[in-house]
Amino acid sequence: MTTINLDSVVEDTGGNFNTTSHIYHVPATGRYFAQALLRPDDSEFTTAGGPNIGVGIHTSNIDGTWFRWYKVMPQNSGGVRISLDYRRIAQWNASDQLRLYAFHETGVDETLFRASMQIWRIS
């Protein structure tokens, strides 16, 4: 499982995201809504049967009940456009280190066209 490189920040009023480590530092203990969107490169989906791809936001790059799996089926024309949407509500503690990560069943790093992550404290 690979941490996704998110090299730019649109809004981070608390300065909690590190663009070098690609880690979000939880500012306060509470309940959070986390959302991500991955847009893999079209050329990733040309193999027969299609790959299994997993996406998560967590304190480590591991599989668990919060990890979402997708089965992506290729098109006969040689590719498919897809966006992988991820959402969760979780209780995190101050100073937890969150990251967006993914797993591609072939074991190769996912080639991404675009990726984003948003985290909001809701209580």
Side-chain angles (χ1 to χ4, degrees), residues 6-24:
L6 300 169
D7 296 326
S8 63
V9 175
V10 173
E11 183 177 340
D12 183 12
T13 55
N16 299 306
F17 186 77
N18 183 317
T19 56
T20 302
S21 66
H22 313 287
I23 300 291
Y24 176 78

Side-chain angles (χ1 to χ4, degrees), residues 2-4 8 11-13 30 35-36 40-41 45 47 49 51 56 61 68 75 85 89 91-92 101 112 114-115 117:
T2 303
T3 298
I4 304 299
S8 63
E11 183 177 340
D12 183 12
T13 55
Q35 173 178 304
D41 186 76
F45 308 108
T47 59
N61 295 8
R68 180 156 184 208
Q75 302 294 320
D85 184 35
I89 294 175
Q91 180 75 25
W92 284 308
Y101 62 103
L112 296 175
R114 190 169 284 138
M117 175 175 74

Side-chain angles (χ1 to χ4, degrees), residues 1-2 52-70 86 88 99-105:
M1 298 200 191
T2 303
N52 291 309
I53 298 174
V55 178
I57 296 174
H58 193 59
T59 56
S60 61
N61 295 8
I62 58 174
D63 195 354
T65 56
W66 58 87
F67 199 67
R68 180 156 184 208
W69 286 98
Y70 298 86
Y86 177 86
R88 81 180 278 206
R99 76 280 328 266
L100 172 61
Y101 62 103
F103 176 78
H104 192 289
E105 74 174 343

